[in-house]
Amino acid sequence: MKLDFNKMNGLVPAIIQDYQTKEVLMVGFMNEEAYQKTLSSGTTWFWSRTRNKLWNKGETSGHFQNVKEIFIDCDNDSLLILVEQMGDCACHTGNRSCFYTKLK
């Protein structure tokens, strides 16, 4: 299966989920290089839209994400990545998940 990086100007959203609990930890964006680095390294890599650069999750915090499984959606333009979250948090705020604010 080939990912379609053309729909979002070279990026695909990647939903990051704990492989055991199925808790959604975060959403990031990958360009083709980040995707290939994720496949080859076994840890998640993303493209930072604000810093305009590639980054490896955990490179500064030490909270790496070991990839267990990767799924592609039916339109070939989004990823679901099941990970083993190393360390206490996936969010840069120090929370386990980036989805800690309840709206309703």
XYZ file of all heavy atoms in Angstrom:
842
model
N 0.841 -1.173 0.000
C 0.000 0.000 0.000
C 0.890 1.242 0.000
O 1.830 1.326 0.778
C -0.804 -0.036 1.285
C -2.250 0.393 1.329
S -3.387 0.335 0.004
C -3.956 -1.334 0.060
N 0.597 2.185 -0.846
C 1.375 3.420 -0.935
C 0.569 4.577 -0.365
O -0.581 4.772 -0.710
C 1.735 3.691 -2.397
C 2.539 4.942 -2.575
C 3.771 4.694 -3.406
C 4.487 5.958 -3.761
N 5.256 6.535 -2.707
N 1.187 5.326 0.539
C 0.535 6.492 1.125
C 0.438 7.618 0.109
O 1.350 7.829 -0.687
C 1.337 6.995 2.326
C 1.038 6.356 3.657
C 2.054 6.801 4.698
C -0.352 6.676 4.128
N -0.670 8.356 0.155
C -0.881 9.493 -0.731
C -0.491 10.774 0.013
O -1.256 11.289 0.823
C -2.340 9.549 -1.169
C -2.602 10.622 -2.201
O -1.714 11.460 -2.452
O -3.713 10.624 -2.758
N 0.706 11.263 -0.252
C 1.195 12.472 0.396
C 0.762 13.738 -0.344
O 1.063 14.838 0.105
C 2.730 12.434 0.494
C 3.242 11.454 1.501
C 3.632 10.183 1.119
C 3.329 11.797 2.841
C 4.116 9.273 2.051
C 3.797 10.898 3.781
C 4.194 9.632 3.390
N 0.043 13.601 -1.453
C -0.307 14.758 -2.275
C -1.523 15.532 -1.781
O -1.667 16.712 -2.072
C -0.550 14.319 -3.721
C 0.718 13.805 -4.359
O 1.789 14.348 -4.127
N 0.606 12.742 -5.126
N -2.412 14.898 -1.041
C -3.668 15.540 -0.650
C -3.486 16.696 0.326
O -4.263 17.632 0.328
C -4.628 14.516 -0.051
C -5.148 13.517 -1.062
C -6.107 12.542 -0.428
C -6.515 11.466 -1.411
N -7.343 10.449 -0.772
N -2.479 16.616 1.187
C -2.264 17.650 2.206
C -0.877 18.271 2.066
O -0.148 18.422 3.048
C -2.459 17.083 3.612
C -3.885 16.706 3.916
S -4.116 16.087 5.600
C -3.511 17.434 6.601
N -0.524 18.605 0.850
C 0.759 19.271 0.585
C 1.956 18.516 1.154
O 2.829 19.092 1.791
C 0.740 20.695 1.125
C -0.293 21.550 0.438
O -0.481 21.443 -0.770
N -0.984 22.373 1.196
N 1.979 17.214 0.928
C 3.127 16.409 1.322
C 3.056 15.815 2.712
O 4.023 15.201 3.161
N 1.936 15.980 3.407
C 1.800 15.466 4.767
C 0.640 14.482 4.884
O -0.316 14.552 4.113
C 1.552 16.617 5.755
C 2.633 17.670 5.848
C 2.193 18.790 6.783
C 3.945 17.068 6.323
N 0.743 13.589 5.855
C -0.384 12.724 6.235
C -0.516 12.788 7.759
O 0.495 12.829 8.470
C -0.219 11.250 5.778
C -0.192 11.149 4.264
C 1.009 10.609 6.382
N -1.759 12.823 8.267
C -1.940 12.775 9.714
C -1.640 11.373 10.236
O -1.942 10.374 9.584
C -3.405 13.141 9.926
C -4.068 12.966 8.606
C -3.016 12.998 7.553
N -1.033 11.325 11.420
C -0.716 10.060 12.065
C -1.312 10.080 13.471
O -0.890 10.872 14.315
C 0.793 9.845 12.128
N -2.296 9.232 13.695
C -2.925 9.094 15.005
C -2.084 8.089 15.779
O -1.861 6.972 15.314
C -4.372 8.606 14.867
C -5.169 9.590 14.019
C -5.008 8.386 16.236
C -6.363 8.969 13.337
N -1.629 8.495 16.950
C -0.758 7.649 17.762
C -1.570 7.104 18.939
O -2.138 7.865 19.718
C 0.468 8.431 18.280
C 1.171 9.162 17.135
C 1.397 7.498 19.029
C 1.654 8.275 16.000
N -1.603 5.782 19.038
C -2.453 5.102 20.018
C -1.616 4.085 20.802
O -0.757 3.417 20.233
C -3.588 4.402 19.265
C -4.667 3.807 20.090
C -5.787 3.243 19.212
O -5.551 2.677 18.145
N -7.005 3.413 19.649
N -1.876 3.987 22.109
C -1.206 2.985 22.934
C -1.631 1.600 22.457
O -2.823 1.321 22.327
C -1.577 3.185 24.401
C -0.824 2.241 25.321
O -1.179 1.032 25.340
O 0.085 2.690 26.018
N -0.677 0.742 22.194
C -0.999 -0.563 21.609
C -1.713 -1.488 22.575
O -2.407 -2.410 22.143
C 0.248 -1.230 21.019
C 1.128 -1.965 22.002
C 1.136 -3.358 22.055
C 1.954 -1.280 22.882
C 1.946 -4.037 22.950
C 2.775 -1.941 23.764
C 2.761 -3.323 23.805
O 3.570 -3.995 24.689
N -1.585 -1.271 23.877
C -2.266 -2.139 24.847
C -3.612 -1.576 25.277
O -4.613 -2.266 25.228
C -1.383 -2.373 26.068
C -0.192 -3.245 25.776
C 0.650 -3.493 27.008
O 0.884 -2.596 27.813
N 1.105 -4.723 27.152
N -3.635 -0.310 25.685
C -4.878 0.279 26.230
C -5.774 0.858 25.150
O -6.934 1.123 25.405
C -4.547 1.397 27.231
O -3.944 2.500 26.534
C -3.644 0.898 28.338
N -5.219 1.120 23.972
C -5.907 1.762 22.843
C -6.212 3.238 23.092
O -6.939 3.871 22.348
C -7.199 1.018 22.441
C -6.999 -0.453 22.132
C -5.942 -0.683 21.077
C -5.855 -2.133 20.673
N -4.571 -2.735 20.891
N -5.621 3.815 24.140
C -5.775 5.238 24.422
C -5.102 6.036 23.299
O -3.975 5.738 22.903
C -5.115 5.571 25.759
C -5.119 7.032 26.116
C -4.363 7.325 27.406
O -3.541 6.488 27.841
O -4.612 8.403 27.972
N -5.797 7.056 22.785
C -5.201 7.939 21.788
C -4.255 8.871 22.528
O -4.656 9.583 23.449
C -6.269 8.736 21.014
C -5.611 9.729 20.069
C -7.177 7.790 20.237
N -2.993 8.847 22.128
C -1.968 9.626 22.807
C -1.730 10.978 22.158
O -1.544 11.975 22.843
C -0.660 8.841 22.857
C -0.722 7.497 23.586
C 0.595 6.743 23.432
C -1.076 7.698 25.048
N -1.735 11.012 20.847
C -1.445 12.254 20.135
C -1.767 12.105 18.657
O -2.031 11.003 18.177
C 0.027 12.649 20.306
C 1.005 11.623 19.760
S 2.735 12.120 19.861
C 2.854 13.254 18.494
N -1.734 13.222 17.967
C -1.840 13.259 16.508
C -0.670 14.099 16.009
O -0.405 15.183 16.541
C -3.168 13.873 16.038
C -3.186 14.026 14.523
C -4.343 13.036 16.497
N 0.040 13.581 15.039
C 1.133 14.322 14.431
C 1.018 14.227 12.925
O 0.123 13.553 12.399
N 1.911 14.895 12.246
C 1.927 14.845 10.789
C 3.260 14.297 10.319
O 4.304 14.597 10.889
C 1.687 16.233 10.193
C 0.279 16.696 10.386
C -0.095 17.365 11.535
C -0.687 16.423 9.432
C -1.404 17.775 11.734
C -1.994 16.826 9.614
C -2.349 17.502 10.774
N 3.198 13.469 9.292
C 4.405 12.891 8.703
C 4.507 13.281 7.240
O 3.517 13.237 6.518
C 4.373 11.363 8.792
C 4.462 10.808 10.187
S 4.516 8.995 10.154
C 4.778 8.666 11.889
N 5.724 13.655 6.841
C 5.997 13.742 5.416
C 6.605 12.396 5.028
O 6.732 11.498 5.868
C 6.900 14.935 5.087
C 8.265 14.860 5.735
O 8.641 13.849 6.350
N 9.036 15.927 5.617
N 6.988 12.245 3.786
C 7.495 10.949 3.344
C 8.782 10.557 4.071
O 8.974 9.396 4.428
C 7.711 10.932 1.828
C 7.854 9.544 1.294
C 7.545 9.416 -0.189
O 7.232 10.429 -0.837
O 7.610 8.275 -0.683
N 9.634 11.525 4.350
C 10.881 11.226 5.050
C 10.598 10.757 6.482
O 11.209 9.795 6.958
C 11.795 12.453 5.074
C 13.130 12.179 5.723
C 14.045 13.385 5.762
O 13.620 14.502 5.409
O 15.212 13.207 6.167
N 9.692 11.418 7.182
C 9.337 11.008 8.551
C 8.737 9.608 8.551
O 9.043 8.792 9.428
C 8.363 12.007 9.164
N 7.910 9.329 7.569
C 7.304 8.000 7.458
C 8.376 6.926 7.244
O 8.383 5.897 7.917
C 6.284 8.003 6.317
C 5.677 6.661 6.024
C 4.883 6.013 6.962
C 5.877 6.043 4.795
C 4.312 4.772 6.687
C 5.314 4.814 4.517
C 4.536 4.175 5.461
O 3.978 2.951 5.185
N 9.301 7.185 6.333
C 10.370 6.220 6.061
C 11.277 6.026 7.276
O 11.683 4.904 7.580
C 11.194 6.652 4.839
C 10.437 6.585 3.520
C 9.925 5.190 3.206
O 10.538 4.180 3.528
N 8.759 5.123 2.571
N 11.572 7.114 8.001
C 12.394 7.010 9.210
C 11.655 6.225 10.296
O 12.275 5.474 11.051
C 12.781 8.396 9.719
C 13.912 9.044 8.951
C 14.240 10.377 9.584
C 15.638 10.798 9.565
N 16.721 9.948 9.781
N 10.339 6.391 10.376
C 9.537 5.632 11.332
C 9.618 4.146 11.010
O 9.825 3.322 11.901
C 8.072 6.117 11.319
O 8.030 7.483 11.772
C 7.176 5.263 12.196
N 9.480 3.816 9.737
C 9.564 2.416 9.321
C 10.943 1.820 9.597
O 11.059 0.698 10.091
C 9.240 2.278 7.831
C 7.810 2.576 7.400
C 7.699 2.474 5.884
C 6.818 1.651 8.078
N 11.988 2.564 9.292
C 13.340 2.012 9.416
C 13.862 2.012 10.856
O 14.622 1.120 11.232
C 14.316 2.757 8.507
O 14.449 4.104 8.909
N 13.445 2.972 11.668
C 13.986 3.083 13.034
C 13.165 2.341 14.082
O 13.684 1.983 15.133
C 14.082 4.553 13.438
O 12.778 5.091 13.676
N 11.854 2.170 13.814
C 10.987 1.539 14.803
C 10.493 2.487 15.871
O 9.835 2.069 16.825
N 10.806 3.781 15.742
C 10.254 4.817 16.618
C 9.565 5.858 15.743
O 9.842 5.947 14.543
C 11.340 5.497 17.482
O 12.258 6.178 16.630
C 12.067 4.493 18.360
N 8.678 6.651 16.351
C 7.913 7.607 15.552
C 8.727 8.865 15.239
O 9.437 9.405 16.087
C 6.611 8.023 16.268
O 6.906 8.475 17.588
C 5.623 6.873 16.321
N 8.593 9.297 13.998
C 9.177 10.536 13.489
C 8.051 11.358 12.901
O 7.108 10.815 12.325
C 10.207 10.247 12.403
C 11.501 9.725 12.929
C 11.768 8.437 13.329
C 12.688 10.461 13.129
N 13.058 8.334 13.757
C 13.655 9.563 13.644
C 13.049 11.796 12.922
C 14.949 9.966 13.951
C 14.345 12.191 13.224
C 15.271 11.284 13.731
N 8.148 12.676 13.015
C 7.103 13.571 12.528
C 7.718 14.773 11.825
O 8.903 15.060 11.970
C 6.245 14.076 13.701
C 5.577 12.973 14.462
C 6.142 12.478 15.623
C 4.393 12.415 14.021
C 5.554 11.452 16.330
C 3.786 11.386 14.715
C 4.368 10.906 15.875
N 6.855 15.479 11.077
C 7.241 16.751 10.487
C 6.577 17.845 11.312
O 5.358 17.862 11.461
C 6.808 16.852 9.028
C 7.145 18.186 8.458
C 6.303 19.229 8.231
C 8.444 18.629 8.065
N 6.984 20.297 7.730
C 8.320 19.950 7.622
C 9.707 18.037 8.064
C 9.397 20.691 7.160
C 10.783 18.777 7.612
C 10.624 20.086 7.162
N 7.373 18.733 11.879
C 6.840 19.854 12.648
C 6.429 20.963 11.689
O 7.279 21.522 10.987
C 7.879 20.380 13.634
O 7.416 21.575 14.223
N 5.150 21.271 11.695
C 4.646 22.335 10.819
C 5.036 23.706 11.343
O 5.162 24.647 10.569
C 3.130 22.230 10.679
C 2.695 20.921 10.002
C 1.201 20.693 10.094
N 0.836 20.545 11.500
C -0.371 20.789 11.980
N -1.341 21.181 11.186
N -0.620 20.633 13.265
N 5.233 23.846 12.651
C 5.587 25.151 13.215
C 7.091 25.416 13.131
O 7.511 26.530 12.868
C 5.129 25.269 14.685
O 5.647 24.167 15.424
C 3.614 25.271 14.774
N 7.892 24.378 13.352
C 9.349 24.546 13.290
C 9.905 24.239 11.906
O 11.087 24.443 11.650
C 10.029 23.673 14.339
C 9.720 24.133 15.763
C 10.343 23.222 16.786
N 9.568 21.970 16.782
C 10.034 20.798 17.195
N 11.256 20.685 17.630
N 9.272 19.729 17.166
N 9.046 23.663 11.055
C 9.439 23.342 9.683
C 10.657 22.422 9.638
O 11.624 22.667 8.919
C 9.700 24.626 8.891
C 9.481 24.419 7.409
O 8.667 23.603 7.004
N 10.204 25.164 6.607
N 10.577 21.343 10.469
C 11.691 20.389 10.493
C 11.213 19.025 10.972
O 10.177 18.877 11.602
C 12.842 20.891 11.366
C 12.565 20.893 12.841
C 13.823 21.266 13.625
C 13.782 20.634 14.985
N 15.053 20.495 15.618
N 12.022 18.043 10.677
C 11.786 16.661 11.095
C 12.142 16.511 12.566
O 13.103 17.129 13.039
C 12.692 15.766 10.244
C 12.331 14.307 10.074
C 11.011 14.153 9.353
C 13.439 13.612 9.305
N 11.358 15.705 13.292
C 11.702 15.425 14.693
C 11.292 14.022 15.096
O 10.321 13.484 14.612
C 11.104 16.471 15.636
C 9.605 16.546 15.677
C 8.792 17.154 14.762
C 8.727 16.014 16.678
N 7.470 17.029 15.138
C 7.405 16.338 16.310
C 8.944 15.295 17.855
C 6.305 15.964 17.066
C 7.833 14.928 18.600
C 6.540 15.273 18.207
N 12.087 13.461 15.977
C 11.861 12.123 16.514
C 11.201 12.281 17.881
O 11.768 12.919 18.766
C 13.200 11.391 16.632
C 13.100 9.976 17.150
O 13.956 9.538 17.892
N 12.108 9.234 16.746
N 10.006 11.716 18.042
C 9.302 11.823 19.322
C 10.180 11.229 20.416
O 10.618 10.085 20.318
C 7.963 11.081 19.247
C 7.186 11.075 20.536
C 6.787 12.463 20.925
C 5.993 12.447 22.222
N 5.942 13.733 22.838
N 10.467 12.029 21.441
C 11.295 11.589 22.541
C 12.730 12.085 22.475
O 13.490 11.878 23.417
N 13.114 12.745 21.382
C 14.509 13.155 21.237
C 14.945 14.136 22.324
O 16.111 14.151 22.698
C 14.793 13.725 19.850
C 14.075 15.024 19.537
C 14.191 15.432 18.075
O 14.850 14.733 17.289
O 13.597 16.459 17.717
N 14.035 14.945 22.853
C 14.413 15.857 23.936
C 13.893 15.379 25.296
O 14.555 15.571 26.309
C 13.908 17.290 23.677
O 12.497 17.262 23.477
C 14.585 17.897 22.467
N 12.733 14.733 25.310
C 12.127 14.307 26.575
C 12.579 12.925 27.030
O 12.473 12.587 28.206
C 10.602 14.286 26.444
O 10.195 13.252 25.551
N 13.040 12.109 26.084
C 13.369 10.722 26.396
C 12.158 9.812 26.380
O 12.273 8.618 26.629
N 10.996 10.347 26.060
C 9.745 9.580 26.030
C 9.465 9.099 24.606
O 8.533 9.551 23.951
C 8.582 10.431 26.545
C 8.761 10.846 27.975
N 7.766 11.444 28.689
C 9.801 10.747 28.833
C 8.168 11.698 29.919
N 9.423 11.287 30.015
N 10.271 8.170 24.153
C 10.159 7.640 22.794
C 8.913 6.785 22.639
O 8.319 6.344 23.626
C 11.397 6.810 22.444
C 12.635 7.631 22.282
C 13.509 7.812 23.353
C 12.932 8.239 21.074
C 14.652 8.582 23.222
C 14.072 9.002 20.928
C 14.935 9.180 22.009
N 8.535 6.562 21.402
C 7.405 5.693 21.077
C 7.908 4.561 20.197
O 8.311 4.790 19.055
C 6.311 6.485 20.345
C 5.710 7.571 21.214
C 4.776 8.485 20.462
O 4.876 8.652 19.247
N 3.860 9.089 21.186
N 7.892 3.341 20.727
C 8.285 2.169 19.958
C 7.094 1.684 19.152
O 6.044 1.370 19.712
C 8.793 1.066 20.883
C 10.075 1.455 21.591
O 10.910 2.158 21.034
N 10.229 1.013 22.815
N 7.256 1.623 17.850
C 6.165 1.256 16.947
C 5.898 -0.243 17.024
O 6.819 -1.053 16.883
C 6.504 1.670 15.497
C 5.442 1.181 14.527
C 6.675 3.179 15.410
N 4.640 -0.594 17.230
C 4.212 -1.987 17.274
C 3.485 -2.382 15.995
O 3.724 -3.441 15.438
C 3.309 -2.238 18.482
C 3.999 -2.023 19.813
C 5.111 -3.024 19.988
C 5.712 -2.962 21.375
N 6.751 -3.956 21.569
N 2.564 -1.528 15.539
C 1.809 -1.794 14.307
C 1.475 -0.476 13.626
O 1.317 0.548 14.298
C 0.497 -2.523 14.610
C 0.653 -3.925 15.148
C -0.699 -4.596 15.355
O -1.331 -4.317 16.394
O -1.117 -5.368 14.472
N 1.343 -0.529 12.304
C 0.938 0.641 11.526
C -0.200 0.232 10.605
O -0.104 -0.783 9.907
C 2.105 1.200 10.688
C 3.266 1.622 11.598
C 1.634 2.376 9.834
C 4.497 2.119 10.861
N -1.256 1.033 10.621
C -2.402 0.822 9.748
C -2.585 2.048 8.863
O -2.348 3.173 9.287
C -3.684 0.616 10.566
C -3.661 -0.608 11.437
C -3.172 -0.545 12.733
C -4.121 -1.824 10.958
C -3.140 -1.670 13.538
C -4.090 -2.956 11.754
C -3.599 -2.876 13.057
N -3.011 1.814 7.639
C -3.317 2.887 6.700
C -4.823 2.917 6.491
O -5.478 1.871 6.515
C -2.561 2.669 5.363
C -2.680 3.875 4.456
C -2.995 1.391 4.688
C -1.762 3.811 3.235
N -5.392 4.104 6.328
C -6.847 4.186 6.157
C -7.252 3.855 4.720
O -6.404 3.670 3.848
C -7.376 5.556 6.584
C -7.162 6.643 5.552
O -6.181 6.564 4.775
O -7.962 7.581 5.516
N -8.553 3.794 4.502
C -9.103 3.354 3.209
C -8.790 4.299 2.054
O -8.816 3.883 0.895
C -10.617 3.159 3.336
S -11.493 4.654 3.853
N -8.471 5.560 2.336
C -8.131 6.530 1.298
C -6.625 6.671 1.087
O -6.179 7.494 0.293
C -8.712 7.906 1.635
C -10.224 7.926 1.589
O -10.806 7.231 0.730
O -10.826 8.634 2.410
N -5.844 5.891 1.838
C -4.381 5.909 1.739
C -3.771 7.262 2.082
O -2.719 7.630 1.553
C -3.910 5.478 0.341
C -4.358 4.087 -0.011
O -4.627 3.275 0.852
N -4.444 3.809 -1.292
N -4.447 8.024 2.976
C -3.915 9.347 3.304
C -3.859 9.646 4.803
O -3.687 10.794 5.198
C -4.695 10.438 2.571
C -6.167 10.488 2.954
O -6.609 9.713 3.823
O -6.889 11.316 2.369
N -4.011 8.630 5.628
C -3.904 8.781 7.082
C -3.347 7.492 7.677
O -3.565 6.409 7.144
C -5.271 9.052 7.719
O -5.814 10.253 7.251
N -2.668 7.648 8.818
C -2.084 6.499 9.506
C -2.618 6.369 10.924
O -2.911 7.372 11.579
C -0.564 6.659 9.604
C 0.217 6.624 8.302
C 1.655 7.046 8.546
C 0.165 5.229 7.698
N -2.729 5.141 11.371
C -2.973 4.821 12.769
C -1.765 4.016 13.207
O -1.475 2.955 12.638
C -4.257 4.008 12.940
C -4.524 3.462 14.339
C -4.701 4.588 15.350
C -5.735 2.553 14.326
N -1.029 4.537 14.190
C 0.191 3.873 14.633
C 0.030 3.466 16.090
O -0.191 4.310 16.965
C 1.416 4.791 14.457
C 1.523 5.226 12.988
C 2.681 4.092 14.923
C 2.665 6.156 12.692
N 0.130 2.165 16.330
C 0.062 1.639 17.684
C 1.474 1.571 18.231
O 2.371 1.019 17.591
C -0.587 0.257 17.697
C -2.001 0.183 17.115
C -2.541 -1.229 17.233
C -2.933 1.163 17.792
N 1.664 2.156 19.418
C 3.006 2.282 19.985
C 3.065 1.811 21.429
O 2.050 1.756 22.129
C 3.502 3.754 19.942
C 3.531 4.286 18.521
C 2.692 4.651 20.859
N 4.271 1.502 21.841
C 4.582 1.340 23.253
C 5.183 2.678 23.676
O 6.268 3.057 23.206
C 5.590 0.213 23.450
C 6.054 0.068 24.871
C 7.158 -0.966 25.027
O 7.813 -1.329 24.022
O 7.370 -1.402 26.163
N 4.458 3.413 24.505
C 4.920 4.721 24.955
C 5.966 4.531 26.052
O 5.679 3.959 27.093
C 3.739 5.547 25.489
C 4.114 6.909 26.028
C 4.660 7.833 24.970
O 4.076 7.991 23.905
N 5.788 8.443 25.248
N 7.158 4.996 25.794
C 8.236 4.919 26.783
C 8.207 6.199 27.610
O 8.131 7.290 27.066
C 9.580 4.762 26.078
C 9.624 3.595 25.092
S 9.126 2.015 25.786
C 10.473 1.704 26.888
N 8.250 6.076 28.907
C 8.137 7.251 29.768
C 6.678 7.512 30.080
O 5.767 6.864 29.567
N 6.460 8.494 30.911
C 5.123 8.758 31.439
C 4.192 9.486 30.478
O 2.984 9.410 30.617
C 5.219 9.590 32.724
C 5.903 8.832 33.844
O 5.881 7.586 33.821
O 6.472 9.501 34.728
N 4.740 10.232 29.539
C 3.845 11.104 28.777
C 4.181 11.128 27.286
O 5.320 10.985 26.889
C 3.874 12.510 29.339
S 5.492 13.255 29.396
N 3.115 11.325 26.519
C 3.260 11.527 25.078
C 3.155 13.010 24.738
O 3.596 13.440 23.685
C 2.181 10.754 24.323
N 2.550 13.783 25.629
C 2.288 15.206 25.374
C 3.420 16.074 25.901
O 3.961 15.811 26.986
C 0.966 15.601 26.028
S 0.473 17.297 25.644
N 3.730 17.125 25.165
C 4.792 18.046 25.588
C 4.431 18.806 26.865
O 5.291 19.399 27.502
C 5.118 19.035 24.461
C 4.076 20.075 24.244
N 2.910 19.817 23.557
C 4.018 21.358 24.641
C 2.180 20.912 23.533
N 2.823 21.861 24.183
N 3.148 18.758 27.278
C 2.717 19.432 28.507
C 2.997 18.597 29.748
O 2.800 19.062 30.867
C 1.208 19.720 28.468
O 0.503 18.475 28.414
C 0.829 20.584 27.284
N 3.411 17.347 29.543
C 3.649 16.453 30.663
C 2.496 15.507 30.938
O 2.572 14.669 31.835
N 1.424 15.620 30.175
C 0.293 14.705 30.305
C 0.546 13.437 29.500
O 1.286 13.443 28.527
C -0.997 15.376 29.810
C -1.470 16.442 30.770
O -1.967 16.144 31.843
N -1.295 17.703 30.387
N -0.086 12.360 29.923
C 0.072 11.091 29.208
C -0.398 11.219 27.765
O 0.228 10.735 26.846
C -0.699 9.980 29.911
C -0.759 8.703 29.080
C -0.522 7.466 29.861
N -0.699 6.285 29.030
C 0.302 5.680 28.398
N 1.537 6.118 28.501
N 0.078 4.603 27.668
N -1.547 11.848 27.573
C -2.148 12.035 26.258
C -2.290 13.528 25.972
O -2.476 14.334 26.891
C -3.532 11.372 26.217
O -4.241 11.747 25.062
N -2.263 13.886 24.708
C -2.536 15.261 24.325
C -4.032 15.589 24.446
O -4.409 16.754 24.426
C -2.075 15.503 22.875
S -0.292 15.423 22.679
N -4.835 14.564 24.608
C -6.290 14.747 24.665
C -6.765 14.678 26.117
O -7.425 13.729 26.539
C -6.992 13.693 23.799
C -6.659 13.870 22.342
C -5.622 13.147 21.775
C -7.354 14.776 21.561
C -5.294 13.316 20.438
C -7.034 14.944 20.228
C -5.997 14.219 19.665
N -6.423 15.693 26.891
C -6.791 15.740 28.308
C -7.820 16.826 28.617
O -8.313 16.918 29.725
C -5.552 15.931 29.193
C -4.745 17.159 28.881
C -5.036 18.380 29.489
C -3.698 17.110 27.988
C -4.310 19.515 29.198
C -2.957 18.230 27.683
C -3.271 19.436 28.292
O -2.545 20.551 28.005
N -8.172 17.666 27.638
C -9.134 18.730 27.850
C -10.499 18.304 27.331
O -10.660 18.094 26.126
C -8.695 20.027 27.143
O -7.390 20.379 27.612
C -9.672 21.163 27.405
N -11.454 18.186 28.237
C -12.809 17.772 27.859
C -13.627 19.014 27.537
O -13.696 19.958 28.322
C -13.453 16.996 29.009
C -14.785 16.406 28.665
C -15.294 15.533 29.807
C -16.606 14.917 29.459
N -17.075 14.015 30.528
N -14.254 19.013 26.369
C -15.079 20.147 25.960
C -16.547 19.969 26.344
O -17.254 20.938 26.591
C -14.984 20.363 24.459
C -13.620 20.811 23.947
C -13.647 20.966 22.428
C -13.199 22.109 24.603
N -17.010 18.734 26.346
C -18.429 18.504 26.642
C -18.597 17.181 27.338
O -17.923 16.231 27.111
C -19.237 18.514 25.350
C -20.711 18.385 25.569
C -21.451 18.543 24.266
C -22.939 18.358 24.533
N -23.732 18.492 23.352
